[in-house]
Amino acid sequence: MARLLIKTEGLENKTLELRLGVNHVGRDPDCDFPIEHSTVSSVHCELVLSDDGVLLRDCDSTNGTFLNGEPVKEAWLRAGQTVQVGDVELFVENTDVTIAIPQYERERPKPPVVTEGGGMLCPRHPHAPVTFKCTHCSEVMCSSCVHVLRRKGGQPLFLCPLCSHKCQRLGGEKKKKAFMEFLQRTAKLPWAYLAGRSKRDE
């Protein structure tokens, strides 16, 4: 990360490790980098660290801000330059910016537990049976895990909590088939009754 080193006698080897954003330098102890020196103003200057580099900006200081001996109000810094705030010299060691984006890996749940009867228990809720399966990543889950998207005037849409793809309810075909068989048996009853009555009447 960008770094400056104080070279003035009595303040040697004090390092200013810049953070992303605005870094205030001054005599005020509330500054990001307080420098106790009579020639330094309360808030003397700003060192703005961004992905473009380090920008030096004077904050209307009493004794001025200098870059390589020249007074400046605002200037971009380069490694090897010397910044002077009042009578305090700062050596620019580097102006590198390192922005690290941490890797985030979503922890996948444990595999479902298979019961003696052949059913499955939810990996997230061990006491709840598996009722849904994702059509994309094949993740199984209970009714509490699935995300429900209510649609006006239509059937709700069930979404996977891991990949947000569509989930299907398990056992739906079996229930549908059982219901159709029930309807068929129900429809056959009157015909069977009438057929039996006709034989008795003969």
Side-chain angles (χ1 to χ4, degrees):
M1 195 64 82
R3 184 169 56 249
L4 288 83
L5 183 66
I6 296 179
K7 303 293 288 183
T8 300
E9 185 178 351
L11 300 171
E12 293 97 342
N13 300 324
K14 184 173 180 180
T15 304
L16 280 62
E17 292 275 358
L18 302 185
R19 296 179 290 272
L20 284 171
V22 179
N23 299 263
H24 291 101
V25 178
R27 199 173 67 253
D28 193 321
D30 290 333
C31 285
D32 299 292
F33 299 104
I35 299 176
E36 186 57 43
H37 197 279
S38 59
T39 62
V40 177
S41 298
S42 296
V43 181
H44 199 103
C45 65
E46 294 176 345
L47 295 166
V48 184
L49 180 62
S50 67
D51 53 0
D52 293 323
V54 180
L55 178 65
L56 170 66
R57 183 183 295 131
D58 182 72
C59 296
D60 297 322
S61 61
T62 302
N63 294 310
T65 300
F66 299 81
L67 180 61
N68 287 346
E70 297 293 329
V72 293
K73 285 295 183 183
E74 190 172 285
W76 289 97
L77 299 183
R78 296 191 306 274
Q81 292 179 321
T82 299
V83 175
Q84 187 175 333
V85 290
D87 291 338
V88 177
E89 286 190 355
L90 308 173
F91 177 73
V92 183
E93 286 195 343
N94 69 68
T95 58
D96 297 336
V97 182
T98 305
I99 302 176
I101 301 176
Q103 291 186 349
Y104 174 74
E105 293 184 3
R106 181 181 297 204
E107 184 179 352
R108 292 188 65 86
K110 297 178 181 178
V113 176
V114 180
T115 63
E116 292 182 359
M120 289 187 293
L121 297 178
C122 178
R124 301 169 193 81
H125 304 95
H127 302 293
V130 167
T131 52
F132 287 91
K133 182 178 180 180
C134 178
T135 57
H136 180 74
C137 69
S138 299
E139 182 66 27
V140 292
M141 65 210 76
C142 67
S143 300
S144 299
C145 295
V146 72
H147 294 168
V148 183
L149 179 62
R150 307 280 179 191
R151 295 183 292 182
K152 188 175 180 181
Q155 294 294 324
L157 189 62
F158 301 105
L159 302 177
C160 176
L162 294 182
C163 67
S164 299
H165 282 76
K166 184 180 178 182
C167 291
Q168 65 181 8
R169 190 185 294 273
L170 295 178
E173 289 298 323
K174 186 183 294 184
K175 290 182 179 179
K176 184 176 179 181
K177 183 177 180 182
F179 179 70
M180 293 302 296
E181 290 176 353
F182 169 75
L183 285 180
Q184 289 175 359
R185 289 197 303 269
T186 305
K188 288 178 180 178
L189 284 175
W191 296 107
Y193 172 76
L194 291 175
R197 186 172 181 180
S198 298
K199 288 182 179 181
R200 288 197 299 271
D201 290 344
E202 290 178 355

